[in-house]
Amino acid sequence: MTTEPPAALPMVVPAQGLPPQVRIHEVGARDGLQNEKATVPTEVKAEFIHRLADAGLTTIEATSFVHPKWVPQLADAEALFPRLDDLTKSRGVHLPVLVPNARGLDRALALGARRVAVFASATESFAKANLNRTVDEALAMFEPVVARAKEAESAHDQVHVRGYLSMCFGDPWEGAVPIAQVVRVCKALLDMGCDELSLGDTIGVATPGHVLELLAALNERGVPTDRVGVHFHDTYGQALANTLAALQHGVTTLDASAGGLGGCPFAKSATGNLATEDLVWMLHGLGIETGVDLGRLTATSAWMADQLGRPSPSRTVRALSHKEQ
Amino acid sequence: MTTEPPAALPMVVPAQGLPPQVRIHEVGARDGLQNEKATVPTEVKAEFIHRLADAGLTTIEATSFVHPKWVPQLADAEALFPRLDDLTKSRGVHLPVLVPNARGLDRALALGARRVAVFASATESFAKANLNRTVDEALAMFEPVVARAKEAESAHDQVHVRGYLSMCFGDPWEGAVPIAQVVRVCKALLDMGCDELSLGDTIGVATPGHVLELLAALNERGVPTDRVGVHFHDTYGQALANTLAALQHGVTTLDASAGGLGGCPFAKSATGNLATEDLVWMLHGLGIETGVDLGRLTATSAWMADQLGRPSPSRTVRALSHKEQ
């Protein structure tokens, strides 16, 4: 199996008004593996993350410090994180981790985590389903966590806090989500101290006009675009078109998942994360710097697909992996 | 299995500068089925095309009048086309067919076809592989076919000629294809009398800047955007993002294939046509009129996937077909 892109392809042709470089926030090892039925051994996770770093990714979400009962697939956070010390300490790779509460934050900080993320919901239904709280109760839960992370910052060189926001475009129970409602929660997350937002299209229903309207509404309410990342799912095949729209608006923090990890393409439960390789193909064609070696990344995702025993849903991985999968 | 979209989704949010309506040129029954290993019975093809029309598609490429030896999957063109008479005669549906030469054109016209298409190549390698001719020899072959179609026009109310152009962005042998080379063949097709072009990204390598640059180059050489359609493949997951770029340039003729027909997603040989459902999801979210009923279209593609015995590669079809596929 080779994973070399075809010679001189994609042809590099920049488009007007796009940023010259972006930061890919790689979520495969956390958001991807969290949704796998099988539990992946800690060694395999550590190797996966090292391979992602070797492929040039510099922000790799590593794991989640939630209670193991909630997310058994990531119950090995304590065992995994120390195996990644070389990446943070000598190679400058950022390894954000999810923290749901003060206890999770303490565990993460004790292990040396310097990038943490909280995860709120734009809708009441999902806040209830995911956190068993109202939207505002969830925000109240995260407020002291963010405050404590910011406090820790004075002791360390940096603690960067990301605020994930789920269901920013549509919700399986509520349908379309009003933009004002999303903006309100975004503002609350920034007001409590989050450094960056990640706008999640958790069920993958957004289309480009909706993306642009939300970004414009955030700007109008004083949220600068450089504080905003986008996290699109490919459930309806819209993720890359939506990412293009976000790039056209100036967004430079793009979430994606190596190999499209995050749900089997044949299962109803597919979360369908945007595949990092499909994103990188577009960005490189547009002449936008990512620092990623697409051949190495594709080889990594093909390797991970073998570990999981099923083909990658990334179209680029399939196209570049010269075997019948 | 239901195929109803989630309530009120996608949320309709237009984006500035996009056309208010488009024409989808549906290629599943021809470009899709032509690439199937199994030969689909004529009755099934006829039912498929009727169902596509019932779902609101108004331009449905029906078959190909090439020599049966070349494309055995479409060897039943003579038997199929008369079964579609109701669509052309009383329902105003356009049913374009491929014609490689004068003999094919005569067969098609005799059966009442009023929209035909020739298929040229932007690269020498593919002209050789597909037509065993140079690019210019292929153009010379099509010239009398187009002339004859235009002659027939004086006898009938209308004969519309589409010129397909393959390998407009990349070629598996030659790599990136120079834009000037593509423009030259486009001009030749229009000069010989083609009413419309379809710019094919046959191996799916294009990215949005490349698309915009080719469209601008065509405009500069006097080709108006309303003579140009785009035909993107999803081999690297780029088709919908490229289509968005084309829309932003003003293109209103968009090729797509119901259910993404046109190659198994797991086979190296996947041609990976853009799935009509994924396209319609985006267009409807953008408030762009298509005339298509997405629920009916999805049900049609799910039905066709059952006929073919494998899941649809369309993400929208999978998301809306509530069963584990």
Side-chain angles (χ1 to χ4, degrees):
Chain A
M1 176 174 57
T2 72
T3 50
E4 287 303 305
L9 292 172
M11 187 162 127
V12 177
V13 189
Q16 283 190 329
L18 300 188
Q21 60 182 50
V22 298
R23 187 169 59 82
I24 295 174
H25 185 106
E26 168 59 45
V27 301
R30 196 279 306 168
D31 192 12
L33 296 185
Q34 168 177 329
N35 287 294
E36 284 296 319
K37 276 176 193 159
T39 301
V40 175
T42 307
E43 314 80 81
V44 173
K45 290 177 183 168
E47 182 169 352
F48 182 41
I49 293 169
H50 277 94
R51 285 183 183 230
L52 292 171
D54 292 344
L57 289 158
T58 54
T59 304
I60 307 170
E61 206 164 279
T63 187
S64 178
F65 287 88
V66 300
H67 194 286
K69 192 176 66 182
W70 297 357
V71 185
Q73 294 88 340
L74 303 181
D76 61 349
E78 240 93 22
L80 174 64
F81 207 77
R83 295 184 189 229
L84 309 172
D85 269 356
D86 58 315
L87 296 178
T88 48
K89 289 185 181 152
S90 35
R91 294 177 53 187
V93 175
H94 299 302
L95 299 176
V97 295
L98 257 59
V99 293
N101 51 32
R103 161 123 187 79
L105 177 67
D106 288 344
R107 287 167 60 207
L109 292 176
L111 287 168
R114 294 294 171 264
R115 291 212 163 205
V116 298
V118 296
F119 38 99
S121 167
T123 67
E124 293 296 343
S125 303
F126 188 69
K128 183 77 186 164
N130 197 41
L131 300 166
N132 198 29
R133 280 170 170 78
T134 67
V135 167
D136 287 334
E137 284 166 1
L139 290 172
M141 174 175 76
F142 290 124
E143 192 159 10
V145 182
V146 177
R148 200 153 163 161
K150 291 284 116 187
E151 239 174 84
E153 195 167 15
S154 54
H156 305 295
D157 48 350
Q158 193 200 32
V159 178
H160 180 278
V161 183
R162 160 174 264 221
Y164 272 108
L165 191 57
S166 291
M167 304 293 172
C168 289
F169 299 92
D171 173 289
W173 300 278
E174 301 178 21
V177 180
I179 284 174
Q181 184 174 322
V182 182
V183 171
R184 181 183 79 83
V185 187
C186 285
K187 288 283 287 179
L189 285 166
L190 290 173
D191 287 348
M192 72 174 68
C194 287
D195 297 288
E196 160 183 294
L197 297 171
S198 171
L199 306 176
D201 182 17
T202 315
I203 59 169
V205 296
T207 51
H210 195 169
V211 171
L212 292 171
E213 189 144 301
L214 175 55
L215 292 168
L218 285 166
N219 294 162
E220 272 164 36
R221 287 291 307 278
V223 179
T225 301
D226 63 9
R227 302 280 294 275
V228 178
V230 287
H231 184 110
F232 293 119
H233 281 198
D234 221 12
T235 323
Y236 295 85
Q238 308 297 305
L240 197 60
N242 288 336
T243 302
L244 177 60
L247 277 168
Q248 291 173 334
H249 190 85
V251 172
T252 57
T253 298
L254 309 173
D255 292 11
S257 173
L261 279 176
C264 172
F266 301 104
K268 188 181 152 194
S269 60
T271 58
N273 273 306
L274 172 60
T276 311
E277 293 83 0
D278 299 7
L279 172 62
V280 167
W281 185 277
M282 182 177 81
L283 294 171
H284 288 184
L286 287 163
I288 296 173
E289 269 181 50
T290 65
V292 173
D293 178 328
L294 182 58
R296 291 188 87 159
L297 179 59
T298 301
T300 297
S301 293
W303 169 83
M304 194 66 210
D306 283 346
Q307 301 294 317
L308 295 169
R310 59 176 180 74
S312 163
S314 161
R315 303 204 184 230
T316 299
V317 171
R318 290 205 301 256
L320 294 181
S321 301
H322 294 171
K323 65 174 187 181
E324 303 279 319
Q325 286 184 313
Chain B
M1 176 174 56
T2 73
T3 51
E4 286 305 305
L9 292 173
M11 186 162 129
V12 177
V13 188
Q16 280 191 330
L18 300 188
Q21 59 182 49
V22 298
R23 186 170 60 82
I24 295 175
H25 185 105
E26 168 59 44
V27 301
R30 198 278 304 168
D31 191 14
L33 297 185
Q34 168 178 328
N35 288 294
E36 283 297 320
K37 275 178 195 161
T39 301
V40 175
T42 308
E43 315 79 81
V44 173
K45 290 177 184 169
E47 182 169 352
F48 182 41
I49 292 168
H50 277 94
R51 285 183 183 229
L52 292 171
D54 292 345
L57 289 158
T58 55
T59 303
I60 307 171
E61 205 163 279
T63 186
S64 178
F65 286 88
V66 299
H67 195 286
K69 193 177 65 182
W70 298 357
V71 186
Q73 293 88 341
L74 303 181
D76 62 348
E78 240 92 24
L80 173 64
F81 207 77
R83 294 183 190 229
L84 309 173
D85 269 357
D86 58 315
L87 296 179
T88 48
K89 290 186 180 148
S90 35
R91 293 177 57 186
V93 175
H94 298 302
L95 298 176
V97 295
L98 257 58
V99 293
N101 51 32
R103 161 122 186 79
L105 176 67
D106 288 345
R107 289 166 60 205
L109 292 176
L111 287 169
R114 293 295 171 265
R115 291 213 163 204
V116 297
V118 296
F119 39 99
S121 167
T123 67
E124 295 295 341
S125 304
F126 188 69
K128 182 77 185 167
N130 197 41
L131 300 166
N132 197 29
R133 282 171 170 79
T134 66
V135 166
D136 287 334
E137 284 166 0
L139 290 172
M141 173 174 79
F142 290 125
E143 192 159 11
V145 182
V146 177
R148 200 154 166 161
K150 290 284 116 186
E151 239 174 81
E153 195 166 15
S154 55
H156 306 294
D157 46 351
Q158 192 199 32
V159 178
H160 180 278
V161 183
R162 160 175 265 223
Y164 272 108
L165 190 57
S166 292
M167 304 293 172
C168 291
F169 299 92
D171 173 290
W173 299 278
E174 302 178 21
V177 180
I179 284 175
Q181 184 175 323
V182 182
V183 171
R184 182 183 80 84
V185 187
C186 285
K187 288 284 286 178
L189 286 167
L190 291 173
D191 287 348
M192 72 173 69
C194 286
D195 297 288
E196 161 182 294
L197 297 171
S198 172
L199 306 176
D201 182 17
T202 315
I203 59 169
V205 296
T207 51
H210 195 169
V211 171
L212 292 170
E213 189 144 300
L214 175 55
L215 292 168
L218 285 167
N219 293 161
E220 273 164 34
R221 288 292 307 278
V223 179
T225 301
D226 63 9
R227 303 280 294 276
V228 179
V230 288
H231 185 108
F232 293 120
H233 281 198
D234 221 11
T235 322
Y236 295 84
Q238 308 297 307
L240 198 61
N242 288 336
T243 302
L244 177 61
L247 277 168
Q248 290 172 333
H249 190 86
V251 172
T252 57
T253 298
L254 309 173
D255 293 10
S257 174
L261 279 176
C264 173
F266 300 103
K268 186 181 151 194
S269 60
T271 58
N273 273 305
L274 172 62
T276 312
E277 293 83 359
D278 298 7
L279 172 62
V280 167
W281 185 277
M282 182 178 80
L283 294 171
H284 288 185
L286 288 163
I288 296 173
E289 269 182 51
T290 65
V292 172
D293 178 328
L294 183 58
R296 290 188 86 160
L297 178 58
T298 301
T300 296
S301 293
W303 169 83
M304 193 67 210
D306 283 346
Q307 302 294 317
L308 296 170
R310 59 177 181 73
S312 164
S314 162
R315 302 202 186 230
T316 300
V317 171
R318 289 206 302 255
L320 294 180
S321 301
H322 293 171
K323 63 174 186 182
E324 303 279 319
Q325 285 185 311

